[in-house]
Amino acid sequence: MFRNDSGNKSLLNRILFYIPRFEREQDQNQSDQFDWFRQSNYTEPIESSKTADEAKQPLFDSYYDFLARADSLESQMTTIGSSSSFTSAVSLSVQDDLSMLSSLIDTHLQTNLKIETSKPTAIKSVKLFQKPYYKEKIKGQEVKVTSWRMKEKMKTISAALVLCLNIGVDPPDIIKTGNSSKLMCWINQSAPQLSPQKILEMIGAELHKQYERWQARARYRLCPDPTSEDVKKLCVSLRKNAREERVLFHYNGHGVPRPTINGEIWVFNKEFTQYIPLSLYEVQTWMGTPSIYVWECSNAGLVVQSFLNFEIDREAEFKKQMEETETTVSVMPNFKDSIHLAACASTELLPQHPDLPLDLFTSCLTTPIKTALYWYVTQKNSCQLIPGLTLDLLEKIPGQISDRRTMMGELNWIFTAITDTIAWNLLDSDLFQKLFRQDLLVASLFRNFLLAERIMKSFDCNPVSHPVLPSTNEHALWQSWDLVLDMCISQLPQLFDSGGNQIGEFVSCGFFNQQIEIFELWLKLNVSSEKAPEQLPVVLQVLLSQQHRLKALELLAKFIDLGPWAVSAALSVGIFPYVLKLLSTQPKELRPLLTFIWAKILAVDRSCQAELVKDNGHVYFVQMLSESDVEPEQKVYSAFVLSTLVNDFPTGQKSAKKSHLIAVCSFVLTDETTRDYANVLLRKWICLCLGLSWNKFAEARWEGVRNNAHQLLLKLAADAEAEVRAAALFALGTYIDAGHDKEGTFEQAIEIDSQIVNTLIKSYDCVFLVRKELILVLNNYLNRFKLNESNEYGLHNQNKTNIVFSKAVATLLDLQNDPYPECALLARHVLSQMLHAESQFESAKRKLIKQIESRIVVLSEDKCHMDTGLVAWCSNYFLKPLLASHGPDSDQPLPVNRQIDLYSNEKLDQHCKILYNYKTRRVPHKWTQPSQMEELVQIQHQPYPIHVKFNPNNEQIFVADIQKNVTVYDNLNRTKLLSFSTILAPNSGAKQSAIIRSFKLINTQHEPIVLTGSDDLVVKFFKPDLHNMKQTQLITAFTAFSSIRESTVEAGLIVEWDETNEMLMCAGDTNYIRVWDMNKELYKDYLTGLKSCVSSLSCGDSFTIAGFGNGCVKLFDFRSSSSAVGIVHSDSASSFYSSTPVLHRTGSMYESKHTYSNQLYAHNSFVLKTCVHAHNNTLISCGILGDINVYDLRYMKKSVDKSFNNEKASALECHPFNRLIAVANSTKQNESIKIYNFEGAELSYIKHREGFMGKRLSTVSCIDWNPNSNEILFGSFDNMITIFRKKDNQH
């Protein structure tokens, strides 16, 4: 019997999580290690019929039986997990063991720990380098925007209404039935009291009136029963007046024969004695393009076919004529710019329903609501189903089309929404924009054409269009339309009395409320799809209603928040003109939604800036930014919108200046106590907005001077957030580059620029994003001194600026060797351009450039794009979802097994990662008695290793060698997983002699990060790709110190990482320790008070221990006002000094408690290593002569009276949990590794490698302990990496 193993793996992971936790708790309480097991090895009665004595049987015979069963299960589950089949199963015996193990865990949790058993408590740990600029490339995201904006807006300004009716005379090829309709344009043709001519005039006037509903400003010309000459005159006249605009040609041929296969329609002679053929070729010539044609006649599809064939012929003739005359035209005429709507196919006759008009197709196009009502009533026999309903009541439907509160107005509103929705869902974007958005009359006709297709097909007629549309008559939304008609029709008998007077009020059918609910439901359940819901066009129509506007905007905001594709979909529907018009409204409840929607739109399509400025929409956002009662989050959106309006758009810059944008932005940055200033995003986007507003616009720069904007930006250049600092430098860079105008002289401008640059170059930033912006600031500053910048340049005193100029060049020289490749390359481009343009500088500066020419790494003269991409990258923020999270709950735990991509799957929650990290789960056993060591792994590595580190949560070891390479090995199968160099281009040739002095493996709870510190004073952070084992990412790199001092004893760069506080301590050949807060990415310097170099650093909970080259050891508490709060010191004469003050531990804080006169021993040699053992409040220090001291940190007092080991040492490391010290002795011919406990007792040693005639150890260069076991890893000068462990117990 088998069952699936997914639940089993979850149980096992849970068990493996809790075992080490219980063991550590017992160890901290100093009680028997097995107490928790003994207390939990019994279960309560499961069945009430059993007594407690009967049920309380032990689950396991012993603790070792329990561990053995767990080990066995893990092995079996590993085998299953590594199999290729995902349907692997385990036997029932394995399932029983899992249940027993889990039951024991539950019993202990419920009775002892009193916490929830469903989910283990997560261990608090901090992910490092999660800020966006460490995880993304600094460039704008490429967004594909569908073509929603028409290339050109077009109007149908003229229309020819050609009516060939000849009322009273039927054409010879049409046979009318006896009960055929007498209606034409809803007018009875057979009215006996009216003459045919009068009826014709009435029909023409009615058709004119119907068309005017859709385009009132067009000029309509009637042409009743015309001759060919009448048609020609009318068409030529309309085309002449229309010029490049569209002209409508409406042809009603109910009174003439059907069109011919030769491409002819029929008109009359002057005497009305015969029918005259009119060639479509002639009509095409007279009408020109662009044009739209409506063909109301039988066989109308034949007209369209012939017309399109003539277009092809005309184009061919034109090209042939051009070739014969050898002439060319700049613009080829578009002979095919015609649109056609035909009533039926080429072989079909028009229907003759007695209750519907003869020109049913035209009625659908011009009076769609009335036609739909009549057709629906006749089709459904509604007059029989609804008491009191008659066709006459349909003529009395209350209201006007323009009034959406009435029945007629709501029907038209719903009809527009439905037809728009059908078209948007079935047509491609370009065709939809051309037919439904470019021309108001064309859009109306095509909406109504969708109804015509449905109605005409019910009579076996197939309307024809060009461009061809997909079939729409069976779309599901037509059922919603039928429901709306049914609800409205059923109200008609109650609205009117017997005399036809209205006595009731129309009740809305609730269509839009239903569609909004559907749309809202889609947002909740279908966000994983990048296909817009079909109800999106309905939301556009709902915006027209003030009653539903707020809800519609809310849903629209949620929709476009899904991503750029959603914004493109909304724009393609036609949302833009509506939200643009809404900016003129004042209701405050709309403000947050409008600003958000506009931010989303401009993030996707920046071209909207032109329309926004044209309609003075920027004033709305400037006002939002200036008002104090607006939430900072809303001001962020406003600042982004305004930044986009002025970004590379001079018209927007001028409009923003007139609206006092710079003054408003400066005011936001003035008061640091406001909630606006406290918002990081707002500070950043205010800086970017200022920088873009005066970019290449000198007038705006001087408005910034009047508002003291540059001083405010200089203050933000030292902000706690790196992105704000970068934005401030960007703004200052464009400020300098803006130049000067008639308002300020060059001398005034350059003085301000020099003050800015002189301030910025005094500090160093560890974030490459900021350094890149600084390079551009310096580039703009250097360019200000080119002679073509100002004709008055030679008249000014240059002494004041030469000093700043030389400092700027010196800073660029340093930055050309920046450890971060992008910064170095950008600085080299700047210096190379300066060198190539040397002749454009005045003599003093040319002399300076000549002096440093040899130090410049010259690049080619290819023009470098001096844009860091900061603005575009920051804009990416608005492309991401910003509102409440969509979709299912992300907190649900995921199954964890060995196949899961832990290092790239962002959806794995912290709980699952912790379960994985406890794969090597047990705390190492205490080692109190002497024991031998056995060799586990031996790997040859060339060149020789200088640093080794265990990855405590994986079977991997990290190795740094003498050639600045880092290699990762799998220590189970001894294979190399990946290798990378810490020297990266373009600095691959610089300072090759600098070796890696410090090597740390950090962030191991999540994604292991390699930290290196080298002799060139550079700190680098690498993230190896431990999933794909491919490219390693350089997260960041920076220079720890600007300079060092010369010393007889050199330590290189010593770094220590405080993971709890995210602090990086850097020291070495300096008289201070530099502490980098890697959260804020700022630093502070603390004097050491000694002339000697710092040789070792080690961190405790809230303090740092430093070892020095002269043998001193100092304790620093960086929270106190004093830089050094404790000192352990001895001079060359071995005289001893007391520590003042002495520190006492109170929780995690240190307080000055007592002063002791004890003489504390330090080292008489270079301090090789200091280790803080936090679990035991112990400090271990070792000198290069091998003397090891152990101190109690609670009293800063020696724990062991005498030092031990006392052999020349090359490396030392303390176990993170156990009280163990491993020291590598480098005495010639006596190289060995010795293991001591904290009392100085020797527990083991390693002198030879294992095997027959095992080789003696070479000098050991580095050591590391496995935190999860008593395994020791070391590298030696004989190019070997070796792992030993305690022989009697692997833990």
Side-chain angles (χ1 to χ4, degrees):
M1 297 178 66
F2 295 91
R3 62 179 293 177
N4 192 276
D5 70 325
S6 60
N8 298 327
K9 289 183 179 180
S10 178
L11 278 175
L12 180 62
N13 283 329
R14 188 165 171 273
I15 293 162
L16 300 185
F17 172 83
Y18 277 111
I19 291 174
R21 173 180 176 167
F22 300 150
E23 291 177 343
R24 268 201 287 272
E25 287 169 355
Q26 296 297 323
D27 183 52
Q28 291 173 2
N29 296 331
Q30 298 182 349
S31 58
D32 191 332
Q33 185 177 2
F34 310 118
D35 279 354
W36 74 271
F37 173 78
R38 293 194 186 102
Q39 296 170 9
S40 309
N41 198 23
Y42 295 89
T43 56
E44 295 296 328
I46 299 177
E47 299 177 9
S48 59
S49 59
K50 292 185 178 181
T51 65
D53 293 335
E54 291 174 337
K56 282 192 174 181
Q57 298 296 325
L59 295 172
F60 302 95
D61 295 335
S62 67
Y63 178 73
Y64 295 104
D65 177 41
F66 166 70
L67 291 181
R69 298 279 279 279
D71 278 337
S72 175
L73 286 173
E74 184 181 17
S75 299
Q76 294 185 55
M77 298 298 288
T78 300
T79 304
I80 294 169
S82 61
S83 65
S84 59
S85 173
F86 289 101
T87 59
S88 305
V90 293
S91 65
L92 283 180
S93 61
V94 173
Q95 175 64 30
D96 291 341
D97 283 353
L98 280 169
S99 299
M100 291 168 63
L101 289 163
S102 184
S103 177
L104 184 142
I105 298 294
D106 288 340
T107 302
H108 179 70
L109 290 175
Q110 292 169 0
T111 59
N112 295 70
L113 300 184
K114 307 296 183 185
I115 64 174
E116 293 182 7
T117 61
S118 60
K119 189 172 182 179
T121 303
I123 293 177
K124 183 180 180 180
S125 58
V126 181
K127 285 185 179 181
L128 300 176
F129 299 108
Q130 294 301 303
K131 294 181 178 178
Y133 45 87
Y134 290 129
K135 302 169 68 176
E136 306 168 0
K137 289 187 176 180
I138 309 302
K139 65 177 184 179
Q141 181 178 333
E142 294 183 4
V143 178
K144 184 179 180 180
V145 183
T146 55
S147 56
W148 64 272
R149 190 192 302 274
M150 293 308 302
K151 297 179 181 178
E152 55 180 347
K153 201 74 175 176
M154 192 169 290
K155 293 180 181 179
T156 300
I157 63 171
S158 300
L161 306 180
V162 180
L163 304 178
C164 299
L165 299 180
N166 196 13
I167 295 174
V169 180
D170 294 333
D173 55 354
I174 298 295
I175 301 175
K176 292 187 177 180
T177 60
N179 63 344
S180 62
S181 175
K182 307 299 182 186
L183 300 177
M184 183 72 68
C185 281
W186 300 100
I187 294 177
N188 189 353
Q189 296 183 91
S190 59
Q193 68 275 20
L194 298 175
S195 66
Q197 183 62 30
K198 184 63 176 178
I199 294 174
L200 180 62
E201 292 176 359
M202 292 174 61
I203 292 173
E206 183 63 23
L207 181 63
H208 181 182
K209 181 180 178 182
Q210 291 172 0
Y211 266 113
E212 278 189 328
R213 292 176 183 172
W214 308 111
Q215 175 64 291
R217 296 183 179 181
R219 183 170 56 178
Y220 299 94
R221 293 290 183 88
L222 286 171
C223 192
D225 291 342
T227 64
S228 59
E229 189 64 25
D230 294 334
V231 175
K232 178 180 179 180
K233 289 181 180 179
L234 178 60
C235 293
V236 171
S237 172
L238 293 180
R239 171 49 57 194
K240 181 179 179 181
N241 293 326
R243 298 182 181 180
E244 302 298 325
E245 299 292 347
R246 183 174 280 121
V247 177
L248 167 69
F249 185 88
H250 180 103
Y251 175 78
N252 186 325
H254 279 266
V256 294
R258 286 177 279 175
T260 68
I261 58 175
N262 295 324
E264 298 167 325
I265 56 176
W266 298 91
V267 291
F268 303 98
N269 62 359
K270 292 183 179 180
E271 294 78 17
F272 287 94
T273 56
Q274 60 182 355
Y275 303 109
I276 304 298
L278 176 61
S279 173
L280 292 173
Y281 189 91
E282 297 295 331
V283 174
Q284 192 177 99
T285 304
W286 302 331
M287 285 289 293
T289 57
S291 53
I292 178 172
Y293 299 85
V294 177
W295 307 106
E296 173 70 50
C297 59
S298 297
N299 302 148
L302 187 62
V303 177
V304 178
Q305 293 177 7
S306 301
F307 198 99
L308 298 180
N309 291 333
F310 286 145
E311 286 182 342
I312 297 173
D313 295 342
R314 286 172 60 82
E315 186 176 30
E317 290 175 6
F318 182 83
K319 290 181 179 179
K320 183 178 180 181
Q321 184 180 358
M322 292 296 100
E323 292 175 358
E324 291 176 352
T325 58
E326 296 183 355
T327 58
T328 58
V329 292
S330 58
V331 180
M332 180 74 176
N334 187 0
F335 295 101
K336 299 180 180 180
D337 191 4
S338 62
I339 298 173
H340 298 266
L341 298 174
C344 58
S346 58
T347 59
E348 296 173 346
L349 300 178
L350 296 177
Q352 302 178 23
H353 193 282
D355 295 325
L356 297 174
L358 279 172
D359 59 340
L360 180 59
F361 180 69
T362 298
S363 297
C364 290
L365 296 183
T366 57
T367 57
I369 307 302
K370 184 176 182 179
T371 306
L373 286 167
Y374 270 84
W375 176 79
Y376 182 79
V377 169
T378 57
Q379 290 290 106
K380 305 295 182 181
N381 293 321
S382 299
C383 291
Q384 299 177 12
L385 298 175
I386 302 175
L389 179 65
T390 62
L391 289 178
D392 293 337
L393 277 179
L394 298 181
E395 295 287 343
K396 299 178 180 179
I397 290 179
Q400 299 295 324
I401 285 180
S402 58
D403 188 355
R404 290 186 290 271
R405 295 170 298 179
T406 63
M407 180 182 288
M408 181 61 76
E410 180 166 293
L411 283 173
N412 183 70
W413 187 21
I414 294 173
F415 177 78
T416 302
I418 287 178
T419 51
D420 252 16
T421 302
I422 293 174
W424 185 76
N425 280 283
L426 296 181
L427 273 60
D428 64 78
S429 178
D430 290 340
L431 186 59
F432 177 81
Q433 295 296 327
K434 178 180 180 181
L435 300 182
F436 288 82
R437 292 294 182 264
Q438 187 184 47
D439 188 320
L440 181 61
L441 180 59
V442 172
S444 300
L445 291 176
F446 268 91
R447 286 193 197 98
N448 303 340
F449 177 79
L450 302 186
L451 174 69
E453 181 187 17
R454 187 183 189 217
I455 293 178
M456 298 296 285
K457 281 189 175 182
S458 69
F459 299 110
D460 296 326
C461 277
N462 296 280
V464 177
S465 70
H466 176 76
V468 180
L469 302 185
S471 179
T472 62
N473 63 301
E474 294 182 354
H475 196 278
L477 276 177
W478 285 121
Q479 297 179 15
S480 299
W481 173 244
D482 289 345
L483 177 61
V484 170
L485 291 178
D486 200 45
M487 294 177 68
C488 291
I489 290 172
S490 63
Q491 295 185 49
L492 286 177
Q494 287 78 37
L495 293 180
F496 299 93
D497 58 15
S498 59
N501 301 315
Q502 185 173 349
I503 59 175
E505 293 294 332
F506 164 66
V507 179
S508 174
C509 62
F511 169 81
F512 289 104
N513 287 330
Q514 296 169 4
Q515 296 300 312
I516 284 176
E517 289 177 4
I518 296 172
F519 189 82
E520 190 170 16
L521 188 63
W522 183 93
L523 287 173
K524 294 179 180 179
L525 302 179
N526 294 281
V527 295
S528 59
S529 172
E530 288 196 2
K531 183 179 180 181
E534 66 178 18
Q535 291 79 19
L536 183 59
V538 178
V539 177
L540 173 64
Q541 292 297 321
V542 176
L543 286 177
L544 300 175
S545 170
Q546 190 171 359
Q547 177 184 356
H548 301 96
R549 186 170 295 158
L550 181 61
K551 184 65 175 179
L553 282 176
E554 180 184 343
L555 295 179
L556 179 61
K558 289 181 179 180
F559 174 70
I560 65 176
D561 193 44
L562 296 178
W565 68 270
V567 177
S568 296
L571 290 174
S572 68
V573 168
I575 214 78
F576 181 78
Y578 290 84
V579 293
L580 181 61
K581 188 176 182 179
L582 285 176
L583 291 179
S584 60
T585 63
Q586 295 301 322
K588 288 190 175 182
E589 62 270 13
L590 299 183
R591 285 184 173 185
L593 295 170
L594 275 177
T595 52
F596 178 83
I597 290 170
W598 270 104
K600 283 289 186 178
I601 290 175
L602 289 172
V604 172
D605 192 349
R606 205 179 77 184
S607 65
C608 300
Q609 58 189 184
E611 288 91 343
L612 197 55
V613 172
K614 181 180 178 181
D615 287 20
N616 289 322
H618 62 283
V619 177
Y620 178 89
F621 297 101
V622 174
Q623 184 180 0
M624 285 277 291
L625 204 59
S626 63
E627 293 184 1
S628 59
D629 59 341
V630 177
E631 291 295 324
E633 291 76 14
Q634 301 306 319
K635 290 189 177 183
V636 171
Y637 301 135
S638 296
F640 170 71
V641 170
L642 291 167
S643 299
T644 308
L645 293 184
V646 297
N647 188 4
D648 197 22
F649 188 49
T651 305
Q653 288 177 312
K654 294 176 182 177
S655 300
K657 179 179 176 294
K658 292 179 181 178
S659 301
H660 308 292
L661 172 61
I662 294 176
V664 171
C665 290
S666 301
F667 180 77
V668 174
L669 300 178
T670 302
D671 190 352
E672 298 183 22
T673 62
T674 62
R675 59 176 184 169
D676 290 344
Y677 192 92
N679 189 289
V680 176
L681 274 175
L682 184 55
R683 295 202 307 274
K684 179 176 75 173
W685 276 104
I686 288 293
C687 292
L688 294 175
C689 186
L690 286 172
L692 293 169
S693 64
W694 56 50
N695 187 27
K696 307 292 184 183
F697 187 34
E699 293 180 18
R701 169 196 163 111
W702 286 104
E703 184 170 342
V705 172
R706 291 192 297 272
N707 287 278
N708 208 28
H710 62 289
Q711 294 294 341
L712 298 171
L713 291 170
L714 279 174
K715 182 174 62 176
L716 288 175
D719 194 88
E721 293 293 331
E723 291 184 40
V724 177
R725 300 198 297 271
L729 263 67
F730 166 81
L732 290 170
T734 57
Y735 182 89
I736 293 174
D737 193 43
H740 69 287
D741 67 344
K742 59 184 180 180
E743 186 172 343
T745 65
F746 178 82
E747 187 174 16
Q748 292 172 330
I750 207 67
E751 183 177 353
I752 296 174
D753 297 344
S754 299
Q755 292 173 359
I756 293 172
V757 171
N758 195 41
T759 302
L760 294 178
I761 61 179
K762 289 180 180 178
S763 60
Y764 180 82
D765 206 297
C766 70
V767 182
F768 64 88
L769 192 72
V770 182
R771 298 201 300 274
K772 288 168 69 175
E773 295 303 322
L774 175 62
I775 293 170
L776 290 193
V777 172
L778 299 178
N779 174 64
N780 293 339
Y781 182 71
L782 297 183
N783 290 338
R784 296 283 275 122
F785 292 95
K786 292 180 179 179
L787 293 178
N788 58 0
E789 174 70 20
S790 173
N791 294 328
E792 306 173 4
Y793 184 80
L795 302 178
H796 303 298
N797 185 0
Q798 304 300 322
N799 294 332
K800 296 180 181 179
T801 58
N802 284 341
I803 297 175
V804 180
F805 184 90
S806 62
K807 288 181 179 179
V809 173
T811 303
L812 285 170
L813 287 172
D814 290 338
L815 288 170
Q816 75 170 344
N817 294 317
D818 193 277
Y820 197 79
E822 293 180 13
C823 295
L825 190 62
L826 188 60
R828 292 179 184 185
H829 274 290
V830 172
L831 288 170
S832 298
Q833 288 186 10
M834 179 191 71
L835 198 59
H836 296 318
E838 176 190 345
S839 60
Q840 299 181 30
F841 294 92
E842 53 91 21
S843 58
K845 294 177 177 58
R846 283 203 304 269
K847 183 178 179 181
L848 174 63
I849 295 172
K850 281 289 186 183
Q851 291 174 353
I852 53 95
E853 181 177 359
S854 59
R855 297 170 56 189
I856 298 177
V857 181
V858 182
L859 301 178
S860 64
E861 292 191 43
D862 296 340
K863 188 173 182 180
C864 174
H865 185 54
M866 291 296 178
D867 182 11
T868 60
L870 177 68
V871 176
W873 175 76
C874 289
S875 301
N876 292 345
Y877 171 82
F878 297 93
L879 297 175
K880 303 173 184 177
L882 300 177
L883 300 179
S885 60
H886 306 282
D889 185 9
S890 60
D891 291 335
Q892 293 295 326
L894 301 176
V896 175
N897 55 50
R898 294 171 187 266
Q899 304 300 318
I900 282 185
D901 176 7
L902 287 172
Y903 298 116
S904 64
N905 191 342
E906 294 295 335
K907 294 183 179 179
L908 279 176
D909 62 7
Q910 188 182 36
H911 165 60
C912 297
K913 290 187 176 182
I914 289 173
L915 292 181
Y916 178 85
N917 290 342
Y918 272 89
K919 180 174 59 65
T920 54
R921 60 194 178 281
R922 299 186 184 93
V923 181
H925 282 218
K926 293 182 179 179
W927 187 352
T928 58
Q929 300 298 323
S931 175
Q932 293 184 351
M933 303 284 286
E934 63 178 347
E935 185 177 304
L936 289 181
V937 177
Q938 189 178 124
I939 301 173
Q940 188 170 8
H941 180 89
Q942 290 184 342
Y944 70 86
I946 56 175
H947 300 282
V948 290
K949 292 291 178 184
F950 272 110
N951 183 355
N953 300 316
N954 222 323
E955 292 87 358
Q956 296 167 348
I957 55 177
F958 287 69
V959 181
D961 59 44
I962 193 65
Q963 291 186 359
K964 284 82 67 181
N965 299 316
V966 175
T967 307
V968 184
Y969 290 97
D970 186 326
N971 63 343
L972 291 183
N973 53 28
R974 308 177 188 181
T975 57
K976 181 191 293 187
L977 299 178
L978 63 86
S979 182
F980 60 91
S981 174
T982 60
I983 304 297
L984 303 174
N987 295 322
S988 56
K991 301 184 181 180
Q992 288 290 335
S993 60
I995 66 172
I996 299 174
R997 290 292 181 184
S998 300
F999 184 77
K1000 305 288 179 183
L1001 190 62
I1002 62 176
N1003 201 49
T1004 54
Q1005 286 281 354
H1006 303 280
E1007 300 170 315
I1009 293 174
V1010 174
L1011 163 61
T1012 66
S1014 51
D1015 280 349
D1016 54 1
L1017 308 180
V1018 170
V1019 176
K1020 296 179 182 177
F1021 293 84
F1022 296 91
K1023 184 168 73 174
D1025 184 357
L1026 294 177
H1027 174 63
N1028 298 311
M1029 301 302 173
K1030 293 182 180 178
Q1031 186 174 2
T1032 296
Q1033 175 193 353
L1034 173 65
I1035 300 175
T1036 188
F1038 56 90
T1039 304
F1041 305 111
S1042 57
S1043 62
I1044 59 174
R1045 64 182 180 186
E1046 295 184 1
S1047 175
T1048 55
V1049 180
E1050 295 183 355
L1053 177 60
I1054 307 299
V1055 301
E1056 177 65 9
W1057 177 254
D1058 181 357
E1059 190 150 0
T1060 303
N1061 300 308
E1062 294 185 68
M1063 296 286 189
L1064 176 69
M1065 270 64 71
C1066 300
D1069 302 321
T1070 60
N1071 62 346
Y1072 59 89
I1073 298 175
R1074 178 162 290 180
V1075 181
W1076 291 91
D1077 183 339
M1078 295 306 292
N1079 186 26
K1080 296 180 179 178
E1081 293 159 317
L1082 299 173
Y1083 70 86
K1084 289 184 180 180
D1085 292 334
Y1086 297 87
L1087 293 174
T1088 62
L1090 296 175
K1091 295 182 179 180
S1092 178
C1093 63
V1094 177
S1095 58
S1096 176
L1097 290 172
S1098 183
C1099 289
D1101 287 343
S1102 302
F1103 62 90
T1104 297
I1105 300 291
F1108 292 83
N1110 65 353
C1112 296
V1113 177
K1114 267 192 164 184
L1115 186 148
F1116 294 85
D1117 187 341
F1118 298 127
R1119 301 167 303 167
S1120 68
S1121 58
S1122 175
S1123 62
V1125 299
I1127 180 169
V1128 186
H1129 174 75
S1130 109
D1131 61 10
S1132 58
S1134 299
S1135 60
F1136 304 98
Y1137 299 87
S1138 63
S1139 62
T1140 307
V1142 177
L1143 302 178
H1144 179 71
R1145 183 82 181 266
T1146 304
S1148 60
M1149 304 293 291
Y1150 285 82
E1151 300 175 348
S1152 179
K1153 200 74 176 176
H1154 303 286
T1155 300
Y1156 291 83
S1157 59
N1158 302 56
Q1159 294 181 342
L1160 302 179
Y1161 182 83
H1163 305 280
N1164 293 320
S1165 62
F1166 188 95
V1167 176
L1168 176 67
K1169 182 76 173 181
T1170 57
C1171 295
V1172 174
H1173 205 273
H1175 294 280
N1176 295 282
N1177 298 319
T1178 305
L1179 165 65
I1180 297 93
S1181 65
C1182 178
I1184 199 170
L1185 298 180
D1187 48 331
I1188 300 174
N1189 296 328
V1190 181
Y1191 298 95
D1192 189 330
L1193 283 172
R1194 293 171 295 182
Y1195 309 106
M1196 289 305 292
K1197 186 177 181 181
K1198 187 169 63 172
S1199 298
V1200 181
D1201 292 339
K1202 296 182 180 180
S1203 61
F1204 50 91
N1205 189 52
N1206 295 318
E1207 294 184 47
K1208 187 177 180 182
S1210 58
L1212 178 138
E1213 194 64 49
C1214 295
H1215 197 287
F1217 300 111
N1218 273 351
R1219 297 170 60 86
L1220 299 174
I1221 303 170
V1223 58
N1225 296 318
S1226 57
T1227 305
K1228 194 171 183 181
Q1229 302 302 321
N1230 192 30
E1231 290 88 349
S1232 63
I1233 295 177
K1234 292 185 178 181
I1235 312 297
Y1236 295 95
N1237 61 19
F1238 284 8
E1239 287 72 35
E1242 183 178 325
L1243 301 179
S1244 187
Y1245 65 91
I1246 306 170
K1247 286 189 177 181
H1248 299 81
R1249 303 188 186 277
E1250 289 192 350
F1252 180 70
M1253 296 184 66
K1255 184 180 177 182
R1256 290 182 61 89
L1257 289 183
S1258 177
T1259 301
V1260 174
S1261 57
C1262 47
I1263 300 178
D1264 192 38
W1265 284 97
N1266 189 338
N1268 301 313
S1269 67
N1270 289 327
E1271 295 176 354
I1272 185 172
L1273 166 69
F1274 60 89
S1276 52
F1277 288 167
D1278 58 355
N1279 301 327
M1280 299 300 294
I1281 302 166
T1282 313
I1283 300 178
F1284 274 77
R1285 73 176 177 188
K1286 183 184 175 185
K1287 194 169 188 178
D1288 56 344
N1289 192 314
Q1290 62 176 330
H1291 298 294

